[in-house]
């Protein structure tokens, strides 16, 4: 029997997983084990600290369910989600990716181009439009724009029993010009949920939980790489200090205030309203 020590335990674990058949899984797990062991040695982790980490993971599992994923939020608030986005972004260009966040739901209702999502929602009317194109600039017809955003109270529909199902979320197909357009309310800056383990962590780190106003998008089209991203209000007070590190300069846009009655009539909204334009570029596979 080998006498395990601080000096040889890492290699013993690496040896134990040598039968991992998938070469990529072996590479990832070996590196993870090496880094975790190095971390434990580096900080001289105490028994109490190890227990606190296990408790954090336990609580994260307990609070996670179909409409809330505290693991995703942990990854987001530690900058890991964004780091994965950044290292996997296309070096040849295209729209930058940003965090999925914990509030996406698959299968939102399909709506037509020009849909008005406002319904009974309070907030500042906003008309959003743009195109989906290839990196070469060709319009992509039939791309699916999947959008979700907060209501004026800073909550997503699936966080808030007072909002109707599918409120402020939808899917839309682009037309032959790759065009999409919808009318909504301006999303507001909001705090990520702080009533779970992530809230305790942010407190410990002396950080706030705010995210700048943003629209979440999933954009997909046959033969193209799926894009998950966010489009931010460049004037938001938290634009420089997003608690989940999702902001990229290329994803910030102005919310231009339009006061013309004629323009308001054209889009069927009350004046004044905000006008936002954003074009997506997808990598061809
Ligand atoms: Fe969000």
């Amino acid at each position: 029997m080998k006498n395990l020590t601080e000096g040889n335990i890492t290699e013993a674990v690496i040896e134990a997983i040598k039968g991992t058949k998938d070469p990529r899984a072996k590479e990832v797990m070996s590196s993870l084990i090496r880094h975790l062991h190095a971390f434990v040695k580096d900080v001289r982790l105490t028994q109490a600290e190890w227990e606190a980490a296990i408790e954090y993971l336990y609580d994260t599992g307990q609070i996670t369910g179909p409409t809330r994923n505290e693991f995703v939020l942990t990854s987001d608030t530690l900058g890991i989600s964004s780091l994965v986005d950044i290292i996997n972004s296309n070096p040849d260009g295209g729209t930058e990716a940003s965090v999925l966040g914990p509030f996406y739901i698959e299968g939102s209702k399909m709506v037509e181009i020009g849909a008005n999502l406002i319904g009974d929602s309070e907030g500042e009317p906003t008309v959003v439009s743009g195109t989906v194109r290839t990196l070469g600039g060709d319009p992509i017809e039939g791309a699916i724009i999947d959008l979700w955003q907060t209501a004026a109270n800073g909550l997503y529909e699936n966080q808030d029993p007072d909002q109707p199902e599918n409120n402020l979320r939808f899917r839309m197909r682009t037309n032959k010009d790759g065009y999409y357009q919808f009318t909504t309310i301006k999303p507001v800056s909001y705090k990520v949920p702080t009533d779970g383990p992530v809230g305790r962590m942010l407190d410990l780190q002396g950080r706030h939980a705010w995210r700048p106003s943003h629209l979440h998008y999933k954009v997909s089209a046959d033969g193209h790489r799926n894009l998950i991203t966010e489009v931010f209000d460049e004037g938001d007070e938290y634009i420089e200090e997003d608690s989940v590190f999702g902001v990229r300069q290329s994803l910030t846009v102005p919310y231009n205030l339009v006061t013309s009655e004629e323009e308001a009539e054209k889009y069927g909204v009350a004046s004044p309203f905000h006008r936002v334009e954003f074009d997506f570029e997808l990598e061809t596979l």
Side-chain angles (χ1 to χ4, degrees):
M1 187 165 93
K2 198 171 188 180
N3 185 35
L4 290 175
T5 65
E6 185 179 330
N8 68 16
I9 190 167
T10 305
E11 285 315 314
V13 181
I14 298 291
E15 173 72 14
I17 69 156
K18 71 174 184 225
T20 308
K21 288 202 169 58
D22 182 320
R24 176 61 178 166
K26 193 174 186 176
E27 180 191 359
V28 170
M29 293 177 84
S30 302
S31 179
L32 178 68
I33 290 161
R34 286 190 198 285
H35 281 85
L36 285 175
H37 282 220
F39 155 74
V40 168
K41 288 192 233 178
D42 180 38
V43 300
R44 310 306 300 170
L45 199 69
T46 68
Q47 200 73 31
E49 288 162 348
W50 175 84
E51 281 170 20
I54 296 299
E55 190 183 328
Y56 182 96
L57 293 173
Y58 177 86
D59 292 347
T60 299
Q62 289 293 305
I63 209 167
T64 292
T67 58
R68 174 169 182 179
N69 194 328
E70 197 81 353
F71 288 103
V72 173
L73 194 56
T74 298
S75 168
D76 293 349
T77 48
L78 290 176
I80 294 167
S81 310
S82 281
L83 183 56
V84 173
D85 286 336
I86 290 165
I87 66 172
N88 286 289
S89 67
N90 179 6
D92 300 328
T95 303
E96 288 187 90
S98 184
V99 295
L100 174 68
F103 301 115
Y104 175 67
I105 299 177
E106 272 190 53
S108 291
K109 68 186 170 199
M110 288 294 300
V111 299
E112 298 295 319
I113 294 169
N116 188 327
L117 314 179
I118 296 180
D120 294 330
S121 301
E122 289 174 16
E124 301 170 29
T126 302
V127 176
V128 184
S129 68
T131 56
V132 181
R133 293 178 180 275
T134 64
L135 299 197
D138 295 328
I140 301 176
E141 180 179 5
I144 304 277
I145 301 265
D146 195 333
L147 171 129
W148 65 108
Q149 67 164 91
T150 54
N153 62 1
L155 296 174
Y156 289 86
E157 167 252 304
N158 49 348
Q159 288 177 288
D160 182 1
D162 292 335
Q163 291 181 46
E165 201 181 340
N166 272 311
N167 195 39
L168 301 171
R169 63 172 80 233
F170 70 80
R171 286 178 299 154
M172 177 182 291
R173 225 174 256 283
T174 55
N175 69 12
K176 65 177 175 31
D177 300 318
Y179 185 73
Y180 73 91
Q181 183 202 306
F182 59 95
T183 300
T184 185
I185 54 156
K186 186 180 178 186
V188 296
S189 43
Y190 66 88
K191 285 182 177 179
V192 297
T194 54
D195 58 340
V198 168
R200 298 204 309 263
M201 179 178 72
L202 293 178
D203 261 355
L204 184 72
Q205 296 168 343
R207 293 165 61 187
H208 69 66
W210 286 95
R211 297 213 63 205
S213 158
H214 55 272
L215 297 162
H216 286 276
Y217 289 99
K218 235 183 184 185
V219 186
S220 54
D222 287 346
H224 297 81
R225 189 172 172 182
N226 285 349
L227 171 71
I228 294 169
T229 195
E230 305 174 279
V231 173
F232 297 88
D233 170 12
E234 67 176 22
D236 192 280
E237 66 177 302
Y238 297 106
I239 197 74
E240 300 289 349
E241 43 185 274
D242 182 2
S243 61
V244 307
F245 308 98
V247 178
R248 314 277 179 276
Q249 179 127 35
S250 69
L251 300 177
T252 64
V253 291
Y255 274 64
N256 294 313
L257 195 67
V258 180
T259 53
S260 153
E261 291 290 345
E262 203 182 317
E263 280 290 296
E265 211 166 297
K266 187 170 123 192
Y267 293 111
V269 290
S271 172
F273 66 99
H274 298 285
R275 193 73 182 84
V276 171
E277 291 176 278
F278 191 82
D279 294 332
F280 297 97
E281 282 183 350
L282 300 188
E283 184 188 352
T284 306
L285 293 173

